Amino acid sequence: MNNTTGFLPLGDEFSPDKLRLARCAAGRSLAEIGELLGVTRQYAHKLEVNAIPSPNQLERLCEVLKVGESFFFAPRKSGVELEQCHFRSVRTSTLTLKKTIAAQVEMFELLVDELDKEVAFPVVDFAALDEPVTGAGKIELVAERFRREQGLGLGPLSSVTKLAEKIGVLVVNLADADDRIDAFSLFNKRPLIVRNTSKANPGRQRFDLAHELGHLVMHQGIETGCRETEEQANQFASALLMPRASFAAEFPTMRGKYLNWPALKELKLRWKVSFKALIYRARALDLLTADQAKSGFTYLARKGFTKSEEFDDLIPIESPLLVQRAIDLLDYATWNRVLAAAGLSTEMVKNQFMLNVPIAPLRLVNSYQR
Amino acid sequence: MPEFQHPSEIEPKLSRAHLDVVFNNLLDAAYKALEATSTDDDTNWTRGVFPYGRIHGRFIRLQREGDLPWFRLVNKTLDYTVSVNGVLMQFVTDDPDLRKKGHRLQKNQVERYHDSLLGPANDGNLTWRVYVDSDRNPDGPTLTVSILGFDTNRNVICKWVHNYEPLVSVRTTALSPVVEIVDSLPIRREKDAAQTEMKDTGSKDE
């Protein structure tokens, strides 16, 4: 906006699409926006079609939607469609919530685009499958090939997050991606995995990431979310985290009809997965019979180990570092330029994307305050 | 508190390293016995006596193999007694805190003969008993091994619970090493370098 005239800048066009994007990312309804601007819901809708907001309305929109003015004056480039996202069909996740998260991811991509001009991220270094895979046996081979291509050997992975970042996948925390949405991934400009930030179980966090890597490797251009694709991603995650050759050799024998829980604890801590994942994997590899696996699950359920398990506190929680490191490389002025070009606000980056931003080395002090 | 003292504090011959070897072997044999007695045909009696017998068998094997010069099975009968560095101890399947088998505190013939060689009873002549107890968890019992030292008045002057470390917790001993994934570091783009390059190209054209 021109400070002298109070009019919108000449030549730059207000983008109604960007308003819709920002509104969705903020999880606001048209009615709410209308109320906040003091206009009708119909007019709020019109703003997302062809109307242009007044300078005051624009200022209010920036404040409410936590974006900069420049955000609305750049055309929307490539949108993130829900079909592109590998969401799990979690019963509690509503379409609105999915749309909100997808919009937030699109805004995160705007930030990454601008960051990419200043900082080079690792190149995307994994081969996605061209054809759909079928059968657990084939998925086993896909996971083994993935390990081989990445030179991972057969041992437990020290960090799945670091592995994802190493092969060029950006892992991001979104404050709104809680239990209602679960982790999800998409491959738009750059592969991206959004973590569920509320899970306290480090084994499950790792499994979620491996599951999303499975989608990125196996399900390019395939709409996911159905039982079959989710099962495939689970099988990939299992096989990636616990390769059959080494895992089968290490899985403890039964103590008669009992599972050897002390040895399973050692296995859990070594492979950094949940007891549940261990038992599933052992069942899939025929190391346990259906009855033995069932008795194991019953034992875990009886102990109340559903969302979190015993000894979880002995496994470190993984955190994404790559994007934060990229931001840390920038000085304050460059960061501000990046932020302005993306049209985002510091508040959004800090609160929604859970990233720390550079701090101004100097602070403005008004002379009359002395 | 004497109860929290390791036996080696009272009897230096009962070193941690030696007791750990004996007790880990004991538990290994006992757990394997529990596996074997978890069929539908097993009863409390088989579950009780089988581990006791297997522990006996393990000690016979240790003695036969002869890899532990400080270990001897000095009494091979049902009240089997081992010697660790010359200190005798019997084994009881009972709760160490609520001991039902009081008679097992009585010294057997071997222990009495041993004491007679040491001379008149004094505070150094303790009776050592190792208690093997189960929590009877239906999902897989956990066994604990406690060593108790009794004085001549049968007062417990030492009690120590062994911390079990499975001899081989997994099927294989050659474990695949953990794959250490290195940190990925983004690199600051060198824009100035590109500009300089362009300027250089320009000057060449002139």
Side-chain angles (χ1 to χ4, degrees):
Chain A
M1 188 170 40
N2 189 319
N3 287 337
T4 324
T5 61
F7 289 111
L8 297 179
L10 205 63
D12 289 334
E13 281 206 16
F14 177 80
S15 167
D17 279 350
K18 291 293 272 297
L19 174 57
R20 189 181 310 119
L21 172 66
R23 179 179 63 78
C24 285
R28 301 277 193 176
S29 67
L30 280 171
E32 281 177 302
I33 293 296
E35 199 177 315
L36 287 161
L37 294 181
V39 297
T40 59
R41 195 192 69 85
Q42 284 78 2
Y43 186 74
H45 174 64
K46 214 173 169 192
L47 284 175
E48 291 188 2
V49 181
N50 56 9
I52 294 175
S54 70
N56 284 344
Q57 287 171 340
L58 188 66
E59 200 176 316
R60 186 84 180 108
L61 283 172
C62 290
E63 189 187 318
V64 171
L65 303 176
K66 299 181 179 62
V67 290
E69 269 185 28
S70 60
F71 179 82
F72 296 113
F73 293 95
R76 190 171 176 183
K77 291 173 192 166
S78 52
V80 172
E81 301 300 329
L82 282 186
E83 295 76 37
Q84 290 175 289
C85 301
H86 300 299
F87 277 112
R88 289 196 215 177
S89 27
V90 178
R91 266 182 237 148
T92 45
S93 67
T94 58
L95 189 63
T96 316
L97 185 60
K98 283 182 181 176
K99 277 185 179 170
T100 300
I101 298 292
Q104 286 179 4
V105 168
E106 191 175 331
M107 293 178 88
F108 180 76
E109 283 191 332
L110 292 175
L111 177 68
V112 171
D113 277 353
E114 294 305 323
L115 275 175
D116 201 32
K117 290 175 188 165
E118 301 290 336
V119 177
F121 288 107
V123 287
V124 179
D125 182 25
F126 66 92
L129 293 186
D130 298 329
E131 290 178 8
V133 268
T134 45
K138 279 198 180 161
I139 292 169
E140 199 80 38
L141 293 176
V142 171
E144 282 170 1
R145 199 184 74 188
F146 181 84
R147 268 203 174 236
R148 208 165 38 245
E149 283 172 358
Q150 299 302 333
L152 297 176
L154 290 172
L157 300 175
S158 64
S159 164
V160 186
T161 311
K162 281 185 188 175
L163 171 64
E165 292 183 336
K166 181 176 160 254
I167 60 173
V169 179
L170 297 185
V171 183
V172 58
N173 287 326
L174 284 186
D176 288 336
D178 56 17
D179 271 342
R180 294 171 300 162
I181 201 90
D182 232 330
F184 77 96
S185 57
L186 80 157
F187 201 153
N188 205 5
K189 293 168 204 157
R190 180 175 264 282
L192 205 138
I193 294 177
V194 177
R195 297 193 331 151
N196 175 331
T197 47
S198 67
K199 275 190 185 172
N201 180 334
R204 282 182 63 179
Q205 280 270 19
R206 282 166 58 90
F207 194 91
D208 280 355
L209 283 174
H211 172 105
E212 298 309 328
L213 281 177
H215 279 313
L216 292 173
V217 169
M218 297 187 296
H219 298 139
Q220 290 296 313
I222 297 173
E223 200 172 329
T224 58
C226 63
R227 195 185 182 91
E228 190 190 353
T229 50
E230 292 311 297
E231 193 54 45
Q232 287 177 346
N234 278 340
Q235 283 163 1
F236 178 91
S238 259
L240 176 65
L241 292 174
M242 297 164 272
R244 55 183 165 181
S246 43
F247 181 79
E250 291 186 25
F251 193 78
T253 48
M254 294 286 290
R255 284 175 170 177
K257 66 178 178 184
Y258 311 119
L259 280 165
N260 187 347
W261 291 106
L264 282 179
K265 174 201 161 189
E266 302 291 324
L267 210 62
K268 171 184 167 133
L269 297 182
R270 176 169 148 74
W271 291 89
K272 299 192 183 84
V273 291
S274 63
F275 279 127
K276 229 177 208 175
L278 286 176
I279 296 173
Y280 266 117
R281 184 65 175 149
R283 175 69 198 115
L285 295 176
D286 258 342
L287 301 170
L288 294 177
T289 64
D291 282 346
Q292 288 167 338
K294 194 179 163 195
S295 83
F297 292 135
T298 313
Y299 170 79
L300 292 175
R302 203 168 44 242
K303 285 247 184 182
F305 299 152
T306 46
K307 288 198 172 175
S308 60
E309 291 179 353
E310 207 172 7
F311 314 119
D312 279 348
D313 50 331
L314 301 178
I315 302 174
I317 288 264
E318 296 179 8
S319 304
L321 291 168
L322 192 56
V323 181
Q324 185 61 63
R325 281 198 174 123
I327 292 175
D328 292 346
L329 282 178
L330 305 180
D331 56 79
Y332 181 67
T334 315
W335 165 249
N336 270 342
R337 207 168 57 233
V338 165
L339 197 65
L344 306 182
S345 66
T346 304
E347 197 184 348
M348 170 173 269
V349 175
K350 281 168 80 174
N351 298 341
Q352 296 282 11
F353 306 149
M354 302 164 90
L355 293 165
N356 296 322
V357 299
I359 302 165
L362 298 171
R363 192 164 51 89
L364 275 178
V365 181
N366 290 331
S367 53
Y368 59 81
Q369 281 181 343
R370 273 183 283 166
Chain B
M1 286 282 292
E3 290 208 352
F4 296 103
Q5 279 183 330
H6 189 268
S8 58
E9 303 282 327
I10 295 170
E11 175 52 86
K13 289 175 181 172
L14 295 177
S15 71
R16 282 174 190 270
H18 291 167
L19 287 183
D20 283 352
V21 171
V22 175
F23 296 163
N24 282 338
N25 266 287
L26 179 161
L27 281 168
D28 188 51
Y31 273 123
K32 283 180 179 160
L34 282 179
E35 285 174 34
T37 55
S38 62
T39 68
D40 291 336
D41 299 331
D42 279 292
T43 60
N44 281 343
W45 191 80
T46 61
R47 279 188 281 271
V49 298
F50 206 60
Y52 188 73
R54 280 281 182 91
I55 295 166
H56 186 197
R58 176 64 64 98
F59 290 152
I60 293 172
R61 177 153 76 89
L62 288 178
Q63 160 103 335
R64 189 175 60 238
E65 288 173 352
D67 293 332
L68 310 173
W70 44 267
F71 177 87
R72 278 178 59 217
L73 184 63
V74 289
N75 176 28
K76 288 186 184 175
T77 58
L78 267 184
D79 52 346
Y80 52 87
T81 312
V82 305
S83 153
V84 174
N85 277 326
V87 179
L88 305 189
M89 58 187 76
Q90 285 189 43
F91 296 81
V92 190
T93 49
D94 198 0
D95 182 344
D97 299 317
L98 291 167
R99 296 180 295 277
K100 289 180 199 154
K101 300 177 182 173
H103 63 282
R104 292 300 309 272
L105 286 185
Q106 289 171 8
K107 296 203 173 194
N108 62 20
Q109 202 178 346
V110 179
E111 285 174 307
R112 284 198 297 274
Y113 177 67
H114 187 262
D115 283 354
S116 70
L117 293 176
L118 290 176
N122 54 38
D123 285 348
N125 264 356
L126 300 174
T127 305
W128 293 99
R129 292 289 177 266
V130 178
Y131 284 85
V132 185
D133 191 29
S134 164
D135 66 355
R136 291 171 191 82
N137 182 346
D139 294 311
T142 301
L143 300 176
T144 45
V145 169
S146 317
I147 180 165
L148 271 67
F150 298 89
D151 64 12
T152 43
N153 294 317
R154 294 191 180 178
N155 296 315
V156 178
I157 60 153
C158 172
K159 183 185 170 197
W160 186 260
V161 180
H162 171 65
N163 182 23
Y164 179 45
E165 284 170 16
L167 294 181
V168 183
S169 63
V170 289
R171 277 187 187 176
T172 175
T173 46
L175 301 178
S176 304
V178 173
V179 185
E180 284 299 336
I181 315 259
V182 291
D183 282 347
S184 307
L185 300 173
I187 303 161
R188 190 81 163 89
R189 292 190 193 277
E190 285 186 44
K191 290 185 171 176
D192 295 344
Q195 279 173 4
T196 317
E197 213 169 85
M198 280 176 70
K199 276 180 193 167
D200 288 350
T201 323
S203 63
K204 269 180 197 169
D205 285 340
E206 283 169 17

